[in-house]
Amino acid sequence: MPTVSIVYPADPTGVVPGGIDTFIRGIAKYAPADIKVRVVGITTDAAARPVGQWTECPVGRGSFALFPVLAVHAAGARGRVPLSLRFSAAVARHRDIVDGDVLEFHRLEPALLFASDRRAKNAFIHQNMKELRNRKSDILWSRAPWLYYRLEGRLLPGFASVYVVREDAVAWYQERFPAIRDRFHFTPTWVDPDDFQVPSNAERNAARLQLEREFGIHANTDLLVTVGRLDSQKDPLLLAEAFQMLARQRPSARLLYVGDGVLRDALEKRLRQGGLGDKAIIAGLRSTREIAAILRAADLFVLASAYEGMPMSVLEALGCGVPVVTTDVGEVRRVVLPGRSGAIAPTRAPDVLAATMAATLGERHRLAGQPCQEAVSPYTPARVLEPVYANYRRIALGL
C-alpha cells in the first residue's frame, strides 16, 4: 500500500482561502483503498487539530492523517514573514515525521529540505510560473523571478513526476527541462458532485431566503457572486469598478464577494467611494457547505482574475448550474463555453466586463442549470485523479 505524504501549508478540513486546500482534500477524499494519504500541514483550529500531533480527519467516506506543524489563525492575512518560510522552518523541526513512499509538494520551498532524500517525489504546480513577471502577480517570488527559476532548476530534476494545471505551462517546462520532459503532465481541476449540484426550486428558494436573512439580499434581485482570495491576482477592485457600471443599468443587482485577503480594506474603501455599500457585500471566508449554498442562490458567477490556473471556483459554480462570466485566463475556456455556459470578456477593461455581465444576465434563464452542469461533467474527481493515483503506485515502486 503506497503512502503519499503531502507537505504543504494546508488545513484541508478548515476554512481557508484558495483552491489548493480543496485540491488536496479531493486527493485524500477520493484516494482508493490501496493508497494512504497523509498531510504535513497547518491547523486553523488548534483545539480540534493540535500542532505537533497526528489527527485523523474524516473526509468523504474515509479519512486522512494531518500533522500540523504550525497554527495559522488568519488564513487570509499576509504576515511580516511569509507563510511559506514559516512553514518550511516548522517542517525542518519535524522532518522525522515526514514518512511515506511518495513525498508530494504543492509549493517548492519545503522541497528544499528533502533535496537529497531518495524517496520518490511528486509535485503539483498550480500556475504557469511565467506569471511571476505579470505586474498583477502578488506572489512574493515576483520580486525576484530569476531566483525562483533557479530553485526550479535545482529541484525539479529530482522529481519523478510533475503535474501542472495549465497546459501551456507543461510545454514551457518541457522546453526548459528537455532531459526530463516526459515527467511533466497536464491535469485539470474538478468539481466535487457531493458538494456542488444543480439545486431544486425548493433548495434555491431556501438558499435565497437564507441570504435575505443574513445580508438583506431580496429574492427578486440579480445576484452576482465571486469566490476567491481578495488579492491582486483575483482583482476584486476591477470587479467593483465593473459592477458599479452594471448597477447603473440594473439598480436591483447585488454582488457578493466570498473570501478574504490583503485587499479587503482597499476593496471596502472602493465600494464606499462608489456608493456600493448596500449593493456589494463582503461575506468573508466560508466553508465548502456555505459556498455551495450561496452558489445555489446565485444568478451569475463572475471571475475578474488577472491570471489563473484552472480555477476550481468556476467549476463549482457551473456544477451548481450557475452561468459564469470570466476574464480570459488559464484554462477557463475548457468549461466556460460562450452561449452555452457563460461568457468570456474579450478584455479586462471594466466597461467590457460590465457589458459581458449584463449580456449574460439577460440570457441566464437559457444558460442556467443543465447546460452549465454539462460543461463540467468531464471534470469529476474520480476521472481526473485516476491517472494521479496510478502514478503514485508507479513511482512508489521506482518505475
Side-chain angles (χ1 to χ4, degrees):
M1 174 185 289
T3 297
V4 180
S5 287
I6 300 174
V7 184
Y8 179 79
D11 183 355
T13 59
V15 180
V16 295
I20 298 180
D21 286 62
T22 303
F23 196 98
I24 292 171
R25 182 167 62 246
I27 290 173
K29 178 178 179 179
Y30 288 94
D34 68 315
I35 293 176
K36 183 175 180 61
V37 175
R38 295 159 71 86
V39 178
V40 177
I42 65 171
T43 179
T44 56
D45 185 345
R49 298 174 295 281
V51 172
Q53 68 182 58
W54 288 104
T55 300
E56 201 66 22
C57 300
V59 59
R61 300 179 186 86
S63 65
F64 68 96
L66 172 69
F67 189 98
V69 297
L70 200 64
V72 176
H73 303 293
R78 176 171 289 173
R80 295 175 62 185
V81 179
L83 175 59
S84 58
L85 293 183
R86 288 186 286 137
F87 176 73
S88 296
V91 171
R93 296 193 295 270
H94 295 279
R95 283 186 59 177
D96 57 323
I97 57 89
V98 184
D99 59 0
D101 306 292
V102 177
L103 304 183
E104 180 166 292
F105 302 91
H106 292 251
R107 285 193 65 138
L108 288 187
E109 295 93 333
L112 272 172
L113 300 170
F114 302 91
S116 60
D117 195 304
R118 299 181 65 85
R119 285 174 289 181
K121 301 186 190 74
N122 179 63
F124 279 94
I125 298 176
H126 295 266
Q127 187 52 260
N128 187 333
M129 297 309 289
K130 288 172 69 175
E131 299 290 357
L132 289 179
R133 301 189 186 281
N134 187 318
R135 66 180 182 85
K136 284 283 188 178
S137 176
D138 59 349
I139 304 171
L140 291 178
W141 284 111
S142 64
R143 299 174 184 176
W146 61 272
L147 187 57
Y148 179 80
Y149 299 145
R150 285 187 62 181
L151 179 68
E152 287 188 329
R154 167 74 174 84
L155 293 175
L156 290 183
F159 279 75
S161 52
V162 180
Y163 287 88
V164 193
V165 299
R166 274 182 60 168
E167 194 164 20
D168 60 350
V170 174
W172 184 63
Y173 279 112
Q174 288 176 333
E175 183 177 344
R176 290 174 57 210
F177 298 94
I180 56 169
R181 60 179 294 113
D182 61 335
R183 301 183 196 176
F184 294 95
H185 313 279
F186 168 71
T187 183
T189 54
W190 64 83
V191 55
D192 192 332
D194 289 348
D195 299 317
F196 300 95
Q197 302 172 345
V198 176
S200 65
N201 287 335
E203 289 171 330
R204 177 175 168 80
N205 290 338
R208 278 286 193 163
L209 182 59
Q210 177 58 35
L211 290 186
E212 184 169 358
R213 289 170 179 161
E214 186 171 359
F215 300 113
I217 298 175
H218 299 295
N220 61 349
T221 62
D222 295 329
L223 177 59
L224 290 73
V225 172
T226 189
V227 179
R229 300 182 312 277
L230 302 181
D231 61 17
S232 297
Q233 176 190 344
K234 303 295 183 180
D235 212 346
L237 300 176
L238 168 63
L239 180 53
E241 189 172 353
F243 178 72
Q244 184 177 5
M245 297 176 181
L246 176 71
R248 296 190 191 112
Q249 306 171 40
R250 291 177 173 264
S252 67
R254 297 293 182 268
L255 172 61
L256 190 63
Y257 287 90
V258 180
D260 207 344
V262 295
L263 289 183
R264 179 162 185 156
D265 289 345
L267 177 60
E268 290 175 340
K269 180 179 179 181
R270 176 66 182 82
L271 296 177
R272 288 193 303 270
Q273 290 175 340
L276 298 174
D278 61 339
K279 295 179 181 292
I281 300 164
I282 302 173
L285 296 177
R286 298 285 165 146
S287 68
T288 298
R289 179 176 297 179
E290 290 174 308
I291 291 171
I294 290 169
L295 290 174
R296 284 194 288 270
D299 294 302
L300 189 68
F301 183 90
V302 187
L303 184 78
S305 293
Y307 59 94
E308 282 287 353
M310 188 172 178
M312 298 185 88
S313 61
V314 166
L315 279 75
E316 290 166 354
L318 292 169
C320 290
V322 182
V324 171
V325 166
T326 177
T327 47
D328 192 2
V329 288
E331 299 291 337
V332 295
R333 286 183 174 271
R334 292 178 178 269
V335 292
V336 182
L337 311 175
R340 291 170 57 190
S341 60
I344 297 173
T347 73
R348 299 187 68 254
D351 59 332
V352 173
L353 183 57
T356 307
M357 291 190 291
T360 309
L361 278 171
E363 292 189 291
R364 69 180 184 276
H365 296 299
R366 181 177 64 82
L367 303 176
Q370 186 176 354
C372 293
Q373 189 178 52
E374 288 177 352
V376 294
S377 60
Y379 302 101
T380 61
R383 183 180 300 183
V384 170
L385 290 172
E386 183 178 0
V388 173
Y389 297 134
N391 181 62
Y392 289 154
R393 298 183 187 102
R394 181 183 65 81
I395 66 176
L397 295 173
L399 301 177

